[in-house]
Amino acid sequence: MTTVSRQQVRQIGEVNQRDIRSRTVRRIAALLALSTLLWWWSLLAQDRPDLRSLALASVLLPAFLTAYFLADRRPTASGLFLLIACSVTVPALIVLVPRWPATPLLLLPGVIAAGVFGPALGLGVTGGLLLVALALVGLSPVTALQVTLAYLVVYAVLAPRESVLDWSWLRSAEATHLAEQLRDRQGELNQALGALHAAYQLLARSNRELAVAHQEAEEARHLKEEFAANVSHELRTPLNIILGFAEIMHRAPATYGPVEWPPMLRRDVAEIWRSARYISELVDDILELARVDALRMPVKRQLTDLPTIMEDTAQLAERLIDGRDLTLELALDPDLPALNLDRTRIRQVLLNLLTNAIRFTDTGTVRLSAVRRDEDVLVTVADTGVGIPPHELDSIFREFHRAEGPNERGGKGLGLAIARRFVQTHGGRIWAESSLGSGSQFHFTLPLQEKWVSRLGGSLSASVPADHSTPVLVVSPGGDGRAAAFLGRHLDGYQIISADSLETVPALLERHHPTAVVLEGPSAEVIAQAEELAGRLPPGVPIVATSLPALSLPEGDGLFDALIGKPVTREQVLALLHRFVPSGSVLVVDDDRGFVQLVRRMLLSAAEPLEVRWAYDGSEALEKLRAAPADLVLVDVVMEPMSGAALASAIREEPGLSGIPIIAVTGVVALQDDA
C-alpha cells in the first residue's frame, strides 16, 4: 500500500474508532444509569435501606448520566471514567455489602474495557479485579474460574471485530483513494473533452476553409488551363506572323523582288527576327509552366538508362561553347542503375542547367556528374563561372527571377523554374551552391524507388517495382493507334495496349489480362461496340467508352491529312508542300489576315513557284474551291463563324473536292502533346 493509503487508513480508523467508542460509551452509560436508578429505587423501597448502598447509588447515578452526555464530545474520557467507576464500585460493593451477590459484577469492568478500548485491555482489567477480589474477600477459585470463562467468551466474540474493522477501514481507505483518483481523472477528462471540443470546432473551421481553398485551387487550375489554351492561340498567332515575316526578310529577301537592301536594314531585320524568336521561346516556356501547374503536362515514365541521356545532352550542350576556352566534362558513376523517369523532361532539366552554366562561364570547366547514393541518384552541374550571390540562392528557382548585378547575362528567368517543376514531378529536389567569383554547383536528385506526386505537389514514397504499369486495353476500330498513343502520354503508370478491331480483343485479353478496356470513337458507334464487347469480358473488367476530340481533329475521322502547330515556320510549311503538292495551287484559309499574308510569303519563297490563293472564312473558301479547286488547302482550326473542322467536313462532302489534301493549323496547346 502506498504512503497516501496508510495515511488514509489511519485517518479513517481514527474517525471510525471515535464514533464506535462514542456510541459504546453512551449505551454502557445509559445501561449503568438505568441499572443504578433501579437499584436506587429498590433501596428506597426497603423498610430499612442500607445507607451506604443508597449513598453509593446516589453518587453513581449522576456520574453515569454525566458520562452519557459527555460521550459524544469526549468519548475516551467518558469511557475511562466508566471503567474506573465500575472497577472501584464492584470491589467496594463486595466488601461493603457482603450479603449482596455482587461477585458476578466482576465481569462488568472487563466488558466495559473490551467494548470501549479493546478485548485485550478488558482481559487485563478482568484479571486484575479477580486478583483484588481474591485478596479482599477470599473469592473462591470456582467463582474466579467462572468469571474468567465468561470473559473469555466475551473476548472470543469481540476479538474478530477488530480484524473486521481493520479490513473495512483498509477497504474504505482504498475506496476513498480510488474516488479521489476518479475525481482527478474526471477533471482531466473534462479538460480533455473541452480541449477536444475546441479542437473539433477548429477542425470544422479548417475543413470549411480547406474546402473553400480547394474550390479556389480548382478554379485557378481551370483558369490556367484556359490561359494555356487561349494564349497559345491568341498570342502565338501574332508572334508567328512577326517571326515568319522577319525570317523571310532575313533569309529570303529575294521574295520581295530585285531590291537592294541596305546593310543597316538587313541588320535591323536580323535583330527583329532574333527578338521575335526570343519572345516565341518565352511564350513556349510560360505555357509549359502553365501546363505543369494546371496538371496538364504529361509525365511518361519509362525504365531509362540515365548515363545515355546525360551523354546525349552533353553532346548537345557542347555546341553552345562556340569556340570559347571552355571544357565540358562528364563524370558518371559506373554503378548507376536504370530509373523510371520521363526521358524528355530529365533531358530538358539537364539542358537547362548546362545552358546556364555555359552562359555564365567564359573560361574553365563545366562538369556534369552523377553518383549513386543510398536512396537516390545525385546529379550535379558545376562550373567555374562568375558565381551567384549567396542571398540569391533561395530565389533563383522562382519564375522570372534573374540574379542582379554586373554579371547578369540575359535569360528569361524560367529555365530553372521549369527544371524545378520537372524534378519535383519525379519526386526529387533541386538546389544550388555558389559564391561570387568561385563558380556554381546545381544539384538535383532522382529517387531510386519511384515516387508518385500528389496534386498538392508532395511526393508519396513507395516501393514500386519496375514493372508497376497496369495494363489497359485501348480499342479504336479503324484507327491507326493514335488513341493509344494519346492515352499513353496522359495516363501515367499504365501500360497501354492498342487494338484496331473488336476481333483482336479476346486474344489480347487472354495475353495481357487488362484491368479495363477503353473504347474510342464516335459516340453512337462506341455504345454499340460496348454492348457487343460486354459479353466477352471477364467479370470485374470495366468498359470505358469515350470520344477523344483531340484525336478527331488531325486525322481521326478523315477530315485532315496533317496537322502543324503554331508558331509555323517556313521549313514546316515547305516540307508539307513537298510532301503533298510539290507544285500547283494552294488555298490558305484563316480569319487572321496577317497570318494569311505570312503563309503567302512563305509559299512564294519556295523553290518551285506555287499559285497561292486565300480566303478569310469558311464560306468564302468553299465558293473559291467550287469555282476552281485547289491542289492543297491550308486551314486554321479555330475560325468564326465556320471552324476549320466544319470547313473540312464540308469539303469532304463535295464530290469534286473530297480528294483535296487538307492541312490543319492550330495554336491550341491541348492538341500539341509531347511524344
Side-chain angles (χ1 to χ4, degrees), residues 1 20 97 127 201 224 238 427 437 440 496 521 530 542 644 662 672:
M1 185 183 297
I20 292 173
V97 191
Q201 291 181 332
K224 287 182 178 180
S440 306
I496 304 300
I662 304 175
Q672 299 174 2

Side-chain angles (χ1 to χ4, degrees), residues 383-441:
D383 62 66
T384 58
V386 297
I388 304 171
H391 66 276
E392 295 279 359
L393 292 178
D394 294 333
S395 306
I396 56 177
F397 293 99
R398 293 206 308 258
E399 293 85 351
F400 301 104
H401 179 83
R402 291 183 289 185
E404 300 177 355
N407 294 321
E408 197 275 320
R409 303 190 180 189
K412 299 180 288 294
L414 291 174
L416 293 178
I418 294 174
R420 183 184 65 172
R421 293 288 206 287
F422 289 158
V423 170
Q424 288 175 342
T425 58
H426 284 78
R429 65 187 188 96
I430 186 170
W431 72 97
E433 299 173 352
S434 181
S435 59
L436 282 176
S438 60
S440 306
Q441 300 85 41

Side-chain angles (χ1 to χ4, degrees), residues 614-631:
W614 59 91
Y616 297 122
D617 59 53
S619 300
E620 182 184 357
L622 281 176
E623 293 178 1
K624 290 189 175 183
L625 287 173
R626 289 165 182 162
D631 297 311

Side-chain angles (χ1 to χ4, degrees), residues 313-329 350-368 381-386 407 409 440 442:
T313 309
Q315 292 177 1
L316 290 174
E318 282 182 343
R319 303 175 187 176
L320 304 175
I321 295 177
D322 195 22
R324 284 179 286 171
D325 185 17
L326 186 61
T327 303
L328 179 59
E329 297 180 355
L350 292 170
L351 191 57
N352 285 355
L353 296 180
L354 288 172
T355 300
N356 276 355
I358 293 172
R359 179 185 297 134
F360 290 96
T361 305
D362 296 322
T363 59
T365 305
V366 174
R367 190 170 187 268
L368 175 61
V381 176
D383 62 66
T384 58
V386 297
N407 294 321
R409 303 190 180 189
S440 306
F442 284 83

